[in-house]
Amino acid sequence: MEATTASATTAADWAARSLKSVWHPCTQMQQHETVPLIPVSHGRGAWLYDHDGKRYLDAISSWWVNLFGHANGRINAELKDQLDKLEHAMLAGFTHEPVIRLSEQLSNMTGNVLGHAFYASDGASAVEIALKMSFHAWRNAGLTAKQEFVCVQGSYHGETIGALAVTDVALFKDAYGPLLRAARVVASPDQRNALQGETAQDAARRAAADIEALFAERAGHIAAIIVEPLVQCATGMAMHDPLYLTLVRELCDRYQVHMIADEIAVGCGRTGTFFACEQAAIWPDFLCLSKGISGGYLPLSLVLTRDDIYQAFYSHDVTRGFLHSHSYTGNPLACRAALATLAIFRDDDVLNANRLRAARLSAALGPLAADERVRNYRQRGMIWAFDAIEPDPARAAAFSRRFFTAALDNELLLRPIGNTVYLMPPYILSDDETDLLAARTRKVFDQVMAA
């Protein structure tokens, strides 16, 4: 075995071995007959390097998780210290300093409106927890008819059975339809849905009116509505006005329906505030976090909820408890990485620094906003997106793969969603890296549209 390992020294060697042994996620594996597989050797800052020494600017933060660069010295130091103390301990009947400190800090960041963090490892599991908690809280309150869930058109919340049931992306969902309990789907507040003469707020109001009509008819049967605050990411970076969240919160209060905020992708500063819900000055009943919370280092997810929901489970009766668990719940290493991530936010005034980074990148991407081959250029915090106009159906179907390949040739990791090109870079780009990202994104777009 040692000889086999030693002989695989090039990127091509590692790619071939991976294709023989690894089933890669969110991938039609046959496409790798033509689309390159990049074996990563190491990462430094915003860059990933392959085994041949080629580099790629990680412009999508490795699926939206890496906030402060690869091999971040400060997070590394915290993890090395934690390794010598405690790598893991079960969280049933035991606790430890990192999970306590992380839970306290996150609650404090919500003004202690939300707390009692419940931990898992991935975003879909956090969504499962929130759905189960909502249903069970109503059950414990004697409202056993409240068993339905509501999701937004085009929403994405993960690919476990419960999370997939409240996802509205056919590509991920249709094959598993027979396994799923159907959710009720309401209109999206996507600002691209604004009619002639309407504003983004008008689109938000119309979408909220759709929820109100459903709640007026079915609130006695609805446990919760789940939303992605400000940006519906997986459906193509569909952005909406914060007013929508304000209106959803008001409707949930009026009709006694829980509000679940899936901030897995949009939390941790990605939209400009640490929690996206802050921009609407509201708090949900459940808030799900994952991805960036550990700085992109280790799998970690969690759900924050309100004290009245926690109290609904507090009883001498074991069956009224929330008997959900994961083996690595509240893992000390992952929590320590999250604490280091929060410390960087605090010590480096990251949110304000990001406003300057965002302004520079927006200015550098400016020509795309006026490009006649582009529609719906948009930006929210540290997310940029635009839709390529590709009239030829065959070319449109292959746009994402062609763009991905051309981007790699230009030292960029960019992975469009359909014909939507988006950028979600880490929060550490230098001015030179920012300018390089913008210039090469424009260059790749020109190449792909002209090819």
Side-chain angles (χ1 to χ4, degrees):
M1 188 63 189
E2 286 295 327
T4 301
T5 301
S7 66
T9 57
T10 68
D13 292 331
W14 286 113
R17 287 175 61 182
S18 187
L19 290 172
K20 288 181 179 179
S21 61
V22 180
W23 198 335
H24 293 265
C26 201
T27 301
Q28 170 48 263
M29 292 298 293
Q30 189 184 51
Q31 291 178 358
H32 279 306
E33 292 180 3
T34 55
V35 177
L37 181 68
I38 308 299
V40 176
S41 167
H42 62 283
R44 290 290 183 275
W47 297 88
L48 294 169
Y49 297 82
D50 71 15
H51 287 265
D52 292 338
K54 297 177 182 177
R55 67 176 190 166
Y56 308 92
L57 181 63
D58 190 354
I60 59 172
S61 299
S62 287
W63 254 349
W64 322 340
V65 302
N66 186 279
L67 302 189
F68 299 118
H70 300 282
N72 182 283
R74 290 154 74 177
I75 301 176
N76 286 358
E78 294 293 316
L79 286 174
K80 290 173 183 176
D81 180 71
Q82 185 62 41
L83 276 170
D84 289 329
K85 294 180 178 178
L86 177 66
E87 82 298 336
H88 185 62
M90 63 185 290
L91 209 59
F94 291 81
T95 193
H96 52 78
E97 181 181 345
V99 78
I100 295 167
R101 290 174 53 213
L102 178 58
S103 303
E104 290 174 342
Q105 289 186 30
L106 289 170
S107 181
N108 288 341
M109 292 170 71
T110 73
N112 298 310
V113 174
L114 303 175
H116 285 105
F118 197 102
Y119 289 86
S121 300
D122 57 84
S125 295
V127 169
E128 297 273 347
I129 288 165
L131 297 173
K132 289 175 66 176
M133 275 185 178
S134 174
F135 163 80
H136 201 162
W138 291 122
R139 179 176 180 267
N140 284 352
L143 298 173
T144 57
K146 293 174 79 67
Q147 301 180 12
E148 298 177 2
F149 293 99
V150 180
C151 67
V152 176
Q153 182 182 26
S155 59
Y156 176 88
H157 300 288
E159 293 166 45
T160 53
I161 295 299
L164 198 57
V166 290
T167 286
D168 186 51
V169 179
L171 179 64
F172 302 121
K173 185 174 182 177
D174 283 1
Y176 309 103
L179 303 179
L180 306 177
R181 179 170 180 164
R184 296 187 177 273
V185 181
V186 291
S188 171
D190 185 352
Q191 64 194 29
R192 293 174 296 180
N193 293 337
L195 303 176
Q196 185 71 30
E198 282 190 336
T199 66
Q201 287 199 342
D202 293 328
R205 289 188 183 93
R206 282 195 292 106
D210 195 42
I211 297 173
E212 183 170 15
L214 176 61
F215 281 8
E217 178 187 353
R218 299 290 302 174
H221 298 274
I222 295 172
I225 181 172
I226 183 168
V227 299
E228 298 165 86
L230 301 184
V231 186
Q232 294 178 256
C233 293
T235 196
M237 301 300 159
M239 300 183 184
H240 60 257
D241 192 274
L243 175 65
Y244 178 73
L245 303 176
T246 304
L247 297 174
V248 172
R249 178 70 271 178
E250 291 173 354
L251 290 170
C252 286
D253 289 340
R254 189 190 318 165
Y255 288 97
Q256 286 193 293
V257 172
H258 290 149
M259 180 180 182
I260 302 172
D262 176 352
E263 295 218 11
I264 290 160
V266 299
C268 301
R270 184 54 71 178
T271 64
T273 48
F274 189 86
F275 299 108
C277 284
E278 293 179 72
Q279 295 182 47
I282 62 101
W283 295 111
D285 299 294
F286 302 90
L287 192 148
C288 303
L289 284 179
S290 190
K291 290 193 181 289
I293 189 60
S294 73
Y297 266 69
L298 289 164
L300 181 66
S301 66
L302 61 98
V303 178
L304 299 170
T305 191
R306 294 175 181 261
D307 190 61
D308 61 331
I309 291 171
Y310 174 80
Q311 291 298 329
F313 293 87
Y314 203 84
S315 171
H316 293 294
D317 184 351
V318 173
T319 65
R320 291 176 63 88
F322 190 63
L323 306 182
H324 184 104
S325 63
H326 296 267
S327 298
Y328 284 92
T329 291
N331 174 261
L333 288 166
C335 290
R336 189 71 181 270
L339 286 167
T341 297
L342 295 184
I344 294 173
F345 269 102
R346 180 180 61 250
D347 297 345
D348 292 2
D349 194 17
V350 168
L351 296 176
N352 282 324
N354 276 355
R355 293 186 181 99
L356 299 178
R357 289 190 182 92
R360 186 181 184 96
L361 184 53
S362 292
L365 290 171
L368 286 170
D371 195 307
E372 62 183 8
R373 300 164 298 174
V374 166
R375 67 163 63 97
N376 300 316
Y377 175 90
R378 52 203 182 274
Q379 180 249 338
R380 170 76 67 174
M382 291 291 287
I383 305 174
W384 291 260
F386 60 88
D387 305 328
I389 300 174
E390 182 53 87
D392 183 337
R395 285 172 55 85
F399 176 83
S400 178
R401 291 197 299 275
R402 291 189 295 117
F403 195 101
F404 172 70
T405 302
L408 293 177
D409 291 338
N410 284 272
E411 297 187 319
L412 297 184
L413 170 53
L414 285 171
R415 186 182 168 103
I417 301 171
N419 72 329
T420 297
V421 179
Y422 73 90
L423 289 72
M424 292 178 69
Y427 305 161
I428 58 160
L429 294 186
S430 67
D431 288 349
D432 287 345
E433 289 169 334
T434 298
D435 295 343
L436 181 149
L437 173 57
R440 295 198 182 177
T441 299
R442 299 197 312 267
K443 177 183 175 182
V444 170
F445 181 68
D446 286 340
Q447 289 176 346
V448 172
M449 296 302 286

